[in-house]
Amino acid sequence: MVHALTEAHRLLKPAGLLVDIHPLPDPPLLAVNREGRRVFSEACPSQGAEAYHQADRAIDDAVKRRQFTREHSTVFDFRTYAPSVAALDDYLTMITAFDQEPADAESERLWAELFARADQAAGAGTSGVEVVLLERARMTSLRPLA
Amino acid sequence: MIVTADPEENESRALFRLANLKGREILEVGCGDGRLTWRIAHQAARLLAIDPFEPSILRARSQLPRDLEPTVEFRHAPFKDFASTCPGSSFDTLILSWSLC
């Protein structure tokens, strides 16, 4: 992470701007709506929280050593919608294929159990199902210092 | 219905509040299949979007609208490899899109 920030600093023009976006360490929420009614809602297993803390610390350190100055920071909701639990599972598998810290066996088991509970709540083959993953993310803008 | 990420566009709206992207040369690191790229490309003078996951880059390229071809380039590369070959002071804005951790 330190390396990434150092390279970002080098690649930016002197008056440039670095924007970092990464999830908050809080676990995401998985919800299932059926015919517009919420039938399932549960916090997801903690995954990647340490990596997100490390990202926060890397930015703090870059500011402390005067590589960057922090301009603004904001938190926003990021929702992913899928027509089924399986579709969401496939999508998450795809977008996390290159995560630096792949899920361990225990985490994978907890996710599988969560998806099984959500799938049961959705009802197999039921139409009008909407599966929602709610994450919160932080966006930070940083100016490079000479 | 397919999987849709952030249809409310909370991410791009937050970005527009924090950064003026108009006419900027932008590097987006961790572009995936271009979810955020499409939402900011119309403001950029040039947008280079990279990702280490080749299937995502191929999908993004296949969806690149003709009118954005002069502005947007998708490249399959991990940030470390890309940075090692890129001259310094190349970009006005660099976006680490869910990729620092």
Side-chain angles (χ1 to χ4, degrees), chain A residues 35-51:
Chain A
E35 305 295 350
R37 192 172 63 88
R38 180 146 298 184
V39 295
F40 180 86
S41 177
E42 204 175 300
C44 297
S46 180
Q47 183 182 324
E50 181 51 33

Side-chain angles (χ1 to χ4, degrees), chain A residues 1 4 10-13 16-21 23 51-52 76-83 91 94 97-98 139, chain B residues 1 3-4 6-8 10-11 15 19 52-53 59 79 83 86 88-96 98 100-101:
Chain A
M1 291 175 204
R10 188 181 68 79
L11 293 178
L12 279 169
K13 295 175 185 177
L17 186 72
L18 172 65
V19 178
D20 172 68
I21 308 166
Y52 305 147
F76 63 95
D77 289 341
F78 188 95
R79 294 180 186 84
T80 302
Y81 297 87
Y91 178 77
M94 180 189 70
F98 265 70
M139 185 179 292
Chain B
M1 180 181 140
V3 176
T4 54
D6 190 32
E8 300 88 356
N10 290 336
E11 183 181 40
L15 180 56
F53 191 48
R59 191 164 45 254
F79 181 45
C86 184
S89 301
S90 292
F91 299 96
D92 300 300
T93 307
L94 194 155
I95 301 169
L96 292 172
W98 305 63
L100 184 56
C101 38

Side-chain angles (χ1 to χ4, degrees), chain B residues 21-83:
Chain B
L21 303 180
K22 284 182 185 164
R24 300 294 199 266
E25 298 199 15
I26 300 171
L27 173 64
E28 183 190 1
V29 178
C31 63
D33 60 4
R35 178 198 77 243
L36 181 60
T37 316
W38 308 127
R39 293 174 180 172
I40 63 176
H42 62 284
Q43 296 213 356
R46 181 171 73 97
L47 202 170
L48 176 56
I50 67 171
D51 198 279
F53 191 48
E54 190 167 26
S56 292
I57 287 292
L58 294 174
R59 191 164 45 254
R61 278 192 194 133
S62 72
Q63 295 169 348
L64 179 61
R66 188 165 291 248
D67 64 317
L68 287 178
E69 284 179 3
T71 309
V72 178
E73 178 189 351
F74 288 102
R75 200 178 295 180
H76 167 229
F79 181 45
K80 189 177 175 183
D81 295 352
F82 170 80

Side-chain angles (χ1 to χ4, degrees), chain A residues 68-137:
Chain A
F68 290 95
T69 182
R70 195 188 318 257
E71 275 205 335
H72 300 289
S73 186
T74 188
V75 171
F76 63 95
D77 289 341
F78 188 95
R79 294 180 186 84
T80 302
Y81 297 87
S84 68
V85 175
L88 180 68
D89 190 8
D90 289 346
Y91 178 77
L92 295 178
T93 299
M94 180 189 70
I95 65 168
T96 57
F98 265 70
D99 275 6
Q100 291 181 13
E101 293 182 24
D104 56 29
E106 175 64 6
S107 179
E108 283 188 359
R109 183 183 66 78
L110 292 171
W111 274 94
E113 290 175 1
L114 172 69
F115 282 148
R117 291 192 295 276
D119 205 33
Q120 190 172 26
T126 310
S127 60
V129 169
E130 178 185 66
V131 182
V132 188
L133 182 72
L134 169 61
E135 300 170 88
R136 302 209 82 203

